[in-house]
Amino acid sequence: MKLAVIVPVYKVEAYLHQCIDSILSQSYRDLKVILVDDGSPDGCGAICDEYAVRDSRVLVLHKANGGLSSARNLALPYTDDCPLVTFVDSDDWLEPGIYQSAVSYLQQHPEVSILGYGHNKVQGTCSSPCLMPEMTLSREEALDSYLAANKLAIEATVWSRIYRRQAIEGLTFREGSKWEDNVYSLEAFYQSTGDFHALPIAGYNYRIQRPGAITATEIPDLRDLFADIEESIDRHAGDTTYMEYANTLALLCLWRCFRTLCRVPGAYEQEAHRYLPWVARVRKRPYLAHLFSPSKRLKIRLFLFAPEAFLSVRRAFSSLKRRH
């Protein structure tokens, strides 16, 4: 049961050996490792070629720089001979045995379309595990969990999962976006026909706040994310069920965005105007109210229909908390 591992590579010369070695040394051997040199200006391309010479499971693709989504999209057609697909970022690395555990479960449970596992957040010499409890969710339960964003929620990151081919057939990442995983994950869960299962194993090591990484910023620009969501709604034109899921994702991302802007001094004044038009768009479309408690439903309605008044109260409350 061949597993395709897609690895976009760009300016990670210091980390690349650790990443590739952790994949090729997995006890599960039936792999197709697709290394995409995204026009890296350092020695990454040559390192990739060296691995292809040494291991027949490695396929190297070289391309002009186009970003993470572009590199993943180039690799996807080369996974046609693989019933399973996963992703690894080239500055991260795997724990030994994770693919054996994951694929063994999928072989024993054909009803599972997507399998997830936990990860370690690594910053310097410090590491903290992020795990979900072991559980199996139906397609609809998985979609709700993905959107709920509570402590048991499924995360957006595509590298924390293995997909059966059907779940991602025909899907691509929006190029030029910094938040490509969010919509891709939503579409994969929506398109899947089987269950989601979570293994309570930290199988992936995620390097956070690496210098130059897109996550290393306090107030991220989320306009790409909302553009991704709008584009996905257009792709599913006429599918009102998908629109409800996508609009709920937009609503929750806006809610978290404005909470951050209210907490950080000066951020609201500088950034809020960028997102108020998206609030107006979300307000005009249905969303999945059953995901929220009665009190949060009321807050969300106030946020959507009187955003500036509601947020003025939140800003005042946040300012008062900072003083005390």
Side-chain angles (χ1 to χ4, degrees):
M1 201 171 191
K2 186 173 288 188
L3 169 63
V5 186
I6 295 176
V7 188
V9 177
Y10 183 73
K11 290 181 71 173
V12 287
E13 192 171 357
Y15 310 107
L16 188 55
H17 284 288
Q18 182 183 29
C19 174
I20 300 174
D21 288 342
S22 75
I23 298 170
L24 296 178
S25 64
Q26 290 288 308
S27 55
Y28 189 77
R29 306 294 296 170
D30 194 7
L31 304 176
K32 182 176 187 178
V33 183
I34 306 173
L35 306 177
V36 185
D37 168 26
D38 188 32
S40 189
D42 55 11
C44 285
I47 292 172
C48 291
D49 289 337
E50 290 170 10
Y51 277 97
V53 170
R54 286 158 33 192
D55 195 315
S56 62
R57 297 175 297 167
V58 176
L59 170 67
V60 179
L61 305 174
H62 296 279
K63 63 183 288 295
N65 179 247
L68 180 67
S69 293
S70 173
R72 287 173 174 170
N73 288 342
L74 179 66
L76 283 167
Y78 291 87
T79 67
D80 282 350
D81 57 337
C82 303
L84 303 175
V85 179
T86 191
F87 301 89
V88 175
D89 286 353
S90 53
D91 53 351
D92 301 332
W93 72 100
L94 301 174
E95 286 293 304
I98 182 56
Y99 286 166
Q100 184 66 63
S101 298
V103 175
S104 294
Y105 190 92
L106 287 166
Q107 288 173 326
Q108 296 165 20
H109 296 272
E111 74 280 4
V112 173
S113 292
I114 302 173
L115 182 136
Y117 40 83
H119 62 278
N120 298 309
K121 287 186 177 179
V122 181
Q123 186 170 20
T125 58
C126 299
S127 176
S128 58
C130 297
L131 298 175
M132 294 178 67
E134 184 158 22
M135 59 182 177
T136 301
L137 303 175
S138 69
R139 169 185 174 273
E140 291 73 21
E141 290 170 336
L143 281 162
D144 283 358
S145 176
Y146 177 62
L147 294 171
N150 58 31
K151 64 181 180 179
L152 299 180
I154 301 168
E155 294 189 351
T157 50
V158 298
W159 41 252
S160 60
R161 291 188 282 275
I162 292 178
Y163 302 88
R164 291 195 195 272
R165 161 156 303 288
Q166 174 275 332
I168 61 169
E169 193 74 53
L171 299 183
T172 57
F173 295 88
R174 182 170 180 264
E175 298 189 13
S177 172
K178 296 179 180 178
W179 311 99
E180 64 285 321
D181 286 8
N182 291 267
V183 167
Y184 192 89
S185 293
L186 177 65
E187 290 188 307
F189 282 114
Y190 188 76
Q191 181 169 291
S192 70
T193 56
D195 295 340
F196 168 83
H197 184 81
L199 291 177
I201 303 171
Y204 189 99
N205 294 290
Y206 169 55
R207 202 185 305 271
I208 63 174
Q209 294 185 338
R210 173 177 62 83
I214 63 170
T215 51
T217 179
E218 185 178 12
I219 305 294
D221 185 343
L222 295 176
R223 287 174 292 175
D224 274 350
L225 171 56
F226 299 116
D228 292 354
I229 295 170
E230 289 296 321
E231 192 173 280
S232 79
I233 291 174
D234 291 341
R235 282 197 301 274
H236 294 265
D239 188 337
T240 55
T241 303
Y242 179 82
M243 182 188 65
E244 283 187 311
Y245 282 115
N247 200 46
T248 304
L249 177 61
L251 168 59
L252 287 164
C253 291
L254 282 167
W255 178 261
R256 291 192 290 270
C257 172
F258 275 98
R259 286 187 63 181
T260 301
L261 295 181
C262 289
R263 286 197 302 264
V264 178
Y268 180 87
E269 290 78 5
Q270 295 176 21
E271 301 291 335
H273 69 280
R274 302 179 188 273
Y275 301 108
L276 288 172
W278 297 107
V279 176
R281 290 191 183 197
V282 169
R283 181 172 63 235
K284 296 174 183 177
R285 297 187 295 233
Y287 58 88
L288 302 175
H290 73 269
L291 294 178
F292 314 118
S293 66
S295 62
K296 189 167 182 179
R297 283 181 215 165
L298 177 59
K299 291 176 184 177
I300 284 174
R301 284 184 64 81
L302 291 172
F303 168 63
L304 289 175
F305 286 91
E308 297 192 64
F310 179 73
L311 292 162
S312 293
V313 174
R314 284 204 69 99
R315 289 166 61 215
F317 180 70
S318 296
S319 178
L320 186 63
K321 282 181 69 176
R322 285 196 298 271
R323 289 174 190 168
H324 295 279

